[in-house]
Amino acid sequence: MDLDALARLRPAPKPAARSPQEILIIKLGALGDFIQALGPMPAIRRHHADDRITLLTTPRYAELAAQTRLFDDILIDDRPKALDLEGWLALRRKLRRGRFDRVYDLQTSDRSGIYAWLLWTGRMPEWSGIAWRCTHPHANRERDRQHTMDRQAEQLLMAGIYPVSGVPWLPTTGSLPAAVGGRFFAMLIPGSSPRHLPKRWSADHYGELAARLRDIGYLPVLVGVHGEKNLAGTICEICPEAVNLIGETDVAALAALARAAALTVGNDTGATHVAAAGGNPVVVLFSRASDPRLCAPRGKRVRVLVQPDLADLPVEGVFAACMAMVTAAAG
């Protein structure tokens, strides 16, 4: 899609109904999706420079969202279950208090579609997304075949916002964990969703890669969620010098690591999207379990290695890709 050409076809914008307007952005998760939404969010802020912007998100992302300073308020969605009537009523009250004039639904899920109609009575706000009868629909039947960031950019163009960054960004606040402060380190992300184990390069291979990086002066640093601690055990047996931070970093701390890491290697998982947004060299490993054309991390320095079965991806190949990325970044 040529968004520049499409932008030239936009009608002249209509004057705002009232000023300042109340704007709501919906972005709940998962982690990789939230990070990729940090591409269009600054464009929404610029477009609504004189308006009040509220973000609806989940508790996991609230701290990082606050660090961006893009939002005047952050509302927490506890994602009530289907039969949690009290939870739904509380969420409805929370949203109706905002008296929102326009909603940018960057979640575009069944849940956010329900929000469009269940949580308002009477006039529905102007709505950018795919909710039934919304005022600013993303009118592309092939939207599910677009990369996430391309889809968001086109959706916002159709709502009058252009241009939108094709890469996400991270705020510059936050501090590094003490174990890596002042060190020259490479971040390794050996996990992935337990529901998609084919996305994981083996812990043995990560251990061998960690040892090779150690031998040329990098401090290997392992990150991930609590359920991946067994992976750290295998890696640290091969490379005892590796710093194990698996299960010890929230999203904001992970963002600080991403901005400081000299190099990152990771699987197709949310933490690798954070690393890519940090702007430093990232090598990401894809198997046949997912399509990088639709969901690969984007950043200033990202290289995607694709191997249908990651068991067939040799350590030598990943190490060579790392060195090529580091050399290109240095040049």
Side-chain angles (χ1 to χ4, degrees):
M1 178 68 67
D2 186 343
L3 294 185
D4 290 319
L6 192 58
R8 291 192 289 270
L9 301 177
R10 287 181 299 172
K14 296 180 180 179
R18 63 185 174 95
S19 182
Q21 288 193 301
E22 294 288 341
I23 307 300
L24 178 67
I25 300 173
I26 301 175
K27 193 60 200 175
L28 308 177
L31 176 57
D33 292 336
F34 184 85
I35 294 300
Q36 292 192 333
L38 293 180
M41 286 179 182
I44 297 174
R45 176 76 274 179
R46 289 192 298 272
H47 186 77
H48 291 283
D50 297 325
D51 297 327
R52 179 178 171 83
I53 298 181
T54 298
L55 173 69
L56 178 68
T57 192
T58 53
R60 185 183 184 192
Y61 310 124
E63 181 179 354
L64 181 64
Q67 290 178 0
T68 69
R69 301 187 178 182
L70 293 172
F71 313 106
D72 299 291
D73 195 12
I74 297 173
L75 298 181
I76 299 301
D77 182 357
D78 294 315
R79 299 173 66 95
K81 302 294 184 182
L83 300 180
D84 180 9
L85 179 59
E86 183 177 344
W88 282 105
L89 290 175
L91 179 59
R92 182 185 181 191
R93 289 193 296 270
K94 187 183 299 185
L95 293 178
R96 292 188 69 189
R97 278 197 298 267
R99 299 181 65 245
F100 296 110
D101 299 288
R102 176 176 285 203
V103 177
Y104 294 98
D105 177 10
L106 299 184
Q107 189 67 19
T108 56
S109 64
D110 291 342
R111 173 175 284 271
S112 59
I114 291 172
Y115 290 3
W117 290 100
L118 185 62
L119 302 181
W120 276 272
T121 57
R123 183 187 67 85
M124 177 184 175
E126 291 185 354
W127 192 284
S128 167
I130 59 172
W132 181 59
R133 297 182 66 182
C134 66
T135 60
H136 296 74
H138 182 198
N140 184 343
R141 293 182 179 179
E142 299 298 317
R143 68 186 306 275
D144 290 337
R145 299 305 303 166
Q146 293 177 294
H147 188 280
T148 301
M149 298 202 70
D150 297 335
R151 183 170 67 244
Q152 290 175 156
E154 187 179 83
Q155 174 188 333
L156 292 181
L157 170 60
M158 293 180 178
I161 298 178
Y162 187 80
V164 170
S165 173
V167 296
W169 68 282
L170 294 177
T172 57
T173 56
S175 58
L176 290 172
V180 301
R183 306 288 296 275
F184 182 73
F185 69 94
M187 189 160 62
L188 303 182
I189 306 171
S192 70
S193 166
R195 295 175 297 173
H196 302 287
L197 295 180
K199 292 184 177 184
R200 294 185 180 183
W201 200 39
S202 76
D204 288 334
H205 284 166
Y206 271 107
E208 294 176 31
L209 179 64
R212 290 193 177 208
L213 293 171
R214 172 206 61 199
D215 291 344
I216 60 172
Y218 291 86
L219 174 69
V221 175
L222 314 179
V223 298
V225 299
H226 283 281
E228 297 163 354
K229 284 185 176 292
N230 62 313
L231 302 175
T234 299
I235 295 169
C236 291
E237 284 182 6
I238 300 171
C239 182
E241 295 83 2
V243 174
N244 178 14
L245 296 180
I246 288 182
E248 299 181 14
T249 56
D250 59 13
V251 176
L254 185 61
L257 286 165
R259 290 191 304 272
L263 170 70
T264 297
V265 181
N267 301 326
D268 172 25
T269 189
T272 311
H273 287 271
V274 181
N280 296 317
V282 174
V283 176
V284 55
L285 315 179
F286 268 79
S287 72
R288 64 168 65 92
S290 51
D291 187 345
R293 294 172 297 180
L294 303 181
C295 60
R298 286 192 175 175
K300 295 178 180 178
R301 300 181 179 94
V302 178
R303 179 171 178 183
V304 176
L305 295 184
V306 180
Q307 185 71 29
D309 186 343
L310 288 181
D312 297 330
L313 182 61
V315 175
E316 293 81 1
V318 177
F319 182 75
C322 291
M323 294 302 97
M325 288 292 291
V326 170
T327 300

